[in-house]
Amino acid sequence: MPELLSAGGIQVRNLSLMRGGRLLYNHFNIDFCADEITALLAPSGSGKTTLLMAIAGLIPTDSGSIVLPENHISFLFQEPRLLPWYTIEENLRIVLSNCFSQDEVAVRISRYLDKAGILQHQYAFPDDISGGERQRAAIARAFSYPAPVLLLDEAFQSQDLKSRLQLMAVLERLLSDEPRTVVLVTHDVREALCLADRIVVMEGEPLHICCDIRMTIDRTVSIQNRYLYPEKEALRIEQDLLFALC
């Protein structure tokens, strides 16, 4: 097994995939390195989410292979996708009950709700808290599940800027404690610049990689300052990425 995979990465080889009569990927190859955040950028409707769904095994591929470190994945969507008839605590419990003992489930629920800054709402129903708090609960649920791979499909896009920056900070804080192999789909170039160790831009039909950039991020600088006041080098990369997406 390649070192990349044994360390927890993802390997996509010769992927071909059609959706709605469109060939989105044709012999497509990419590796996602273990314990890194890779941001995927591409035009709207081009197939970024489809790639995440294929990695998660939610849709079949026409050919090729996708190899994961193990068959456990957490998926964060643009909407929290919490069950409204369950409390926040119960929404976490239903994904953990088959993985841990009852006592350990209770410990993990409290731990991750606390890390996400939402422990005070553990017995609230989703409709009784704000959209940002619901997404914090979704982040806590994703991290409480023992998955080495985390897929994010525009997970912060429905939030206002303040909530978005807060959620990005929560994600980064959790990843600093528990690194995971993260694939992040976003339309926000600056979000990618703030969070990602690597940014991949795709274009065309079928999609191919046109830009692959390794990032060096000073994570001692707050998410807010990185997003609102990017350094000169980040601004230069942002211009290059925006040009590549045009």
Side-chain angles (χ1 to χ4, degrees):
M1 178 178 289
E3 182 179 350
L4 168 80
L5 298 180
S6 63
I10 304 168
Q11 186 183 71
V12 178
R13 287 289 175 271
N14 294 315
L15 175 68
S16 293
L17 200 160
M18 290 192 70
R19 296 283 282 179
R22 295 170 56 207
L23 181 62
L24 300 181
Y25 296 94
N26 188 32
H27 301 294
F28 180 80
N29 297 284
I30 191 170
D31 293 332
F32 298 103
C33 294
D35 299 338
E36 285 190 352
I37 304 174
T38 302
L40 296 180
L41 301 174
S44 296
S46 58
K48 303 182 298 298
T49 296
T50 301
L51 179 58
L52 292 191
M53 293 176 68
I55 291 172
L58 298 177
I59 60 173
T61 62
D62 295 304
S63 62
S65 64
I66 300 174
V67 184
L68 304 168
E70 55 183 88
N71 193 26
H72 294 292
I73 291 172
S74 287
F75 209 135
L76 264 173
F77 299 90
Q78 186 170 347
E79 317 84 26
R81 301 200 179 188
L82 301 171
L83 298 175
W85 53 88
Y86 284 154
T87 65
I88 299 303
E89 185 264 354
E90 289 168 335
N91 268 278
L92 271 68
R93 184 175 296 277
I94 58 175
V95 303
L96 298 176
S97 57
N98 292 329
C99 305
F100 302 100
S101 69
Q102 219 171 6
D103 289 343
E104 180 61 17
V105 166
V107 169
R108 291 183 76 86
I109 289 172
S110 294
R111 179 191 305 157
Y112 288 98
L113 288 178
D114 185 43
K115 286 185 175 185
I118 199 174
L119 182 59
Q120 71 273 24
H121 295 306
Q122 63 178 321
Y123 301 121
F125 288 92
D127 288 345
D128 296 331
I129 60 178
S130 70
E133 288 166 338
R134 288 194 289 271
Q135 197 68 335
R136 284 174 181 259
I139 292 173
R141 180 179 59 186
F143 272 88
S144 66
Y145 184 69
V149 172
L150 176 61
L151 306 178
L152 292 92
D153 187 15
E154 300 185 56
F156 312 126
Q157 299 305 302
S158 63
Q159 306 293 323
D160 59 62
L161 180 58
K162 181 178 179 180
S163 296
R164 190 186 313 170
L165 295 177
Q166 290 173 344
L167 290 167
M168 289 164 62
V170 168
L171 176 71
E172 187 170 74
R173 185 168 65 250
L174 285 165
L175 286 171
S176 70
D177 293 338
E178 296 182 34
R180 303 193 183 196
T181 305
V182 178
V183 184
L184 165 69
V185 163
T186 180
H187 286 292
D188 186 341
V189 170
R190 196 159 291 186
E191 179 184 307
L193 288 168
C194 286
L195 288 174
D197 302 296
R198 175 190 177 202
I199 299 175
V200 175
V201 180
M202 302 183 294
E203 65 176 8
E205 189 172 319
L207 281 170
H208 64 273
I209 296 171
C210 64
C211 188
D212 192 335
I213 301 174
R214 301 291 309 182
M215 300 296 298
T216 301
I217 299 176
D218 183 359
R219 299 192 186 274
T220 63
V221 177
S222 71
I223 287 282
Q224 178 173 316
N225 284 340
R226 272 182 261 161
Y227 192 97
L228 298 176
Y229 312 108
E231 295 182 353
K232 186 179 295 186
E233 178 63 13
L235 285 172
R236 184 192 65 77
I237 295 173
E238 181 180 41
Q239 290 177 342
D240 291 342
L241 291 172
L242 289 170
F243 182 78
L245 288 165
C246 289

